[in-house]
């Protein structure tokens, strides 16, 4: 019998088909090999698995429910829409699922410090939470532009005891923060570990982060079967780097379910107006892995836009590029306008305020529901919207919706 998909992909070099790999400066090759070896041995040990399961249950509050969104489904008048409630995971989003895994691995390796970059601050907050739990130091690199924009998250990280390092060169945003965090890691790779925030980066991170997030899909598969006696016909998740989507999809890849990754179509189809990498991009290497990316004519990463800052990334995890290229997953989009409408619809009809990232998935699910009236749709509601309410109320006042 063939091995199941999750054991076959990625291969030993970290490739999903032609996508993935590890494009690293020579000084880091050895370090990433060590992380891979540690993950394969420690990560598969009984103690590690038991400790992580205990954390999931007693600290994170897992399993999160699967919920039938009855009023929203009736309002749309089509398929039944179900939500996997990652907004109810501790810290209010799915990101803690992989941060706790990465930090637990750091603990087993005897590391003292977690280092990472953050854009909007969501990954920084989740990692700072994990660091507090394990008693590790935490250093988060963040562009000065983002520090100004995302002040509440900066405050959260500081309250949690993390050191926030302002990055003041270049565009002073996410890309420079990645460079700065890599430099910091290079200076002290023995005592620290770089903790990537999605299914991106050099091997083994796309695999590790997927495996840590797969708890979402495996829980949801059991819950949905128990609730309905069937598997969902369709799965829908938003895609920035792609971790919440891979978390959901990974448990269903060998099942007869249609899977839709929803990219942010922003305000238009021109470069700079969206962050829909798989929809409009082409093959290229960015941040140490080969995937599909949005490039300028000279090959440099393009500027991107989305109202959801967590989806604002000019590339996508290599596994999504692969699954899309073999047509196992489908790429869908939701634009800013549809997303804001879905944000209000879910709030009004269900009393659930979604993160703007997750509202992209809800927006597409509402379109799909009309096309497939007799089917079921399971949406990964990746996070709650508390972080977005000031922005939404200022720019899209509730009176208009
Ligand atoms: C960061 C974030 C995302 C996007 O990241 P993925 O790796 O694509 O999942 C989606 N939803 C929420 C709530 C986030 O915080």
């Amino acid at each position: 019998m063939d091995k199941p998909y999750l054991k076959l992909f990625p291969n030993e070099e970290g490739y999903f088909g032609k996508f993935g790999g590890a494009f690293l400066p020579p000084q880091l090759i050895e370090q990433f090999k060590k992380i891979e070896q540690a993950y394969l041995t420690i990560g598969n040990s009984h103690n590690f698995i038991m400790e992580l399961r205990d954390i999931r249950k007693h600290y994170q509050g897992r399993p999160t429910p699967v919920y039938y969104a009855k009023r929203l489904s009736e309002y749309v008048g089509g398929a039944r829409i179900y939500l996997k409630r990652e907004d109810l995971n501790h810290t209010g989003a799915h990101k803690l699922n992989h941060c706790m895994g990465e930090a637990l691995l750091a603990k087993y390796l005897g590391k003292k410090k977690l280092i990472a970059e953050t854009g909007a601050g969501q990954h920084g907050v989740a990692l700072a939470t994990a660091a507090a739990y394990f008693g590790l130091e935490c250093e988060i690199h963040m562009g000065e532009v983002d520090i100004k924009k995302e002040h509440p998250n900066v405050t959260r990280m500081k309250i949690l005891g993390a050191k926030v390092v302002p990055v003041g060169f270049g565009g002073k945003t996410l890309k420079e923060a990645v460079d700065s965090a890599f430099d910091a890691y290079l200076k002290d790779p023995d005592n620290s570990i770089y903790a990537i925030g999605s299914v991106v980066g050099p091997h083994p991170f796309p695999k590790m982060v997927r495996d840590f997030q797969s708890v979402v899909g495996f829980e949801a598969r059991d819950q949905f079967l128990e609730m309905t006696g069937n598997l969902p016909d369709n799965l829908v998740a938003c895609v920035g780097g792609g971790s919440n989507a891979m978390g959901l999809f990974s448990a269903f890849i060998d099942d007869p379910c249609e899977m839709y990754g929803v990219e942010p179509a922003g305000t238009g189809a021109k470069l700079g107006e969206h962050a829909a990498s798989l929809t409009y991009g082409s093959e290229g290497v960015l941040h140490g892995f080969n995937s599909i990316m949005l490039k300028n004519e000279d090959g440099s990463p393009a500027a991107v836009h989305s109202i959801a800052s967590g989806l604002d990334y000019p590339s996508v995890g290599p596994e999504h590029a692969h699954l899309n290229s073999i047509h196992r997953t489908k790429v869908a989009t939701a634009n800013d306008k549809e997303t804001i409408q879905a944000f209000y619809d879910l709030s009004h009809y269900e009393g659930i305020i979604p993160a703007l990232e997750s509202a992209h998935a809800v927006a597409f699910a509402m379109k799909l529901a009309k096309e497939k009236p007799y089917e079921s749709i399971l949406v990964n509601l990746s996070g709650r919207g508390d972080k977005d309410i000031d922005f939404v109320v200022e720019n899209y006042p509730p009176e208009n919706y």
Side-chain angles (χ1 to χ4, degrees), residues 93-95 122 197-199 238-245 310-311 355 357-358 382-383 387:
H94 71 289
K95 284 199 175 70
Q122 296 298 103
S198 186
V199 285
C238 65
V239 177
S243 66
N244 87 86
L311 302 181
E357 290 81 3
S358 324
S382 55
K387 66 185 178 60

Side-chain angles (χ1 to χ4, degrees), residues 99-100 103 114 126-139 160 162:
C99 285
M100 293 308 284
L114 303 173
L127 198 67
T129 303
Y133 177 92
F134 289 107
L136 297 166
E137 284 172 55
C138 186
E139 185 178 299
L160 290 162

Side-chain angles (χ1 to χ4, degrees), residues 86-87 92-95 98 120-123 197-200 209 213 237-247 262 308-313 316-317 320 354-359 380-385 387-388:
E86 288 306 289
D87 59 316
H94 71 289
K95 284 199 175 70
H98 62 251
Q122 296 298 103
H123 176 53
S198 186
V199 285
V200 298
V209 172
Q213 285 295 346
C238 65
V239 177
S243 66
N244 87 86
M246 271 326 302
V262 184
S309 38
L311 302 181
D312 224 338
Y313 187 61
V316 65
H320 284 288
L356 283 175
E357 290 81 3
S358 324
N380 192 357
L381 197 74
S382 55
R384 68 175 180 225
K387 66 185 178 60
D388 298 314

Side-chain angles (χ1 to χ4, degrees), residues 3 42 84 108 177 183 204 212 274 276 309 317 346 352 384 395:
K3 283 188 169 179
I42 299 168
K84 175 62 172 165
Y108 274 70
D183 283 347
F212 290 141
H274 60 81
S309 38
L346 191 67
I352 298 170
R384 68 175 180 225
N395 296 282

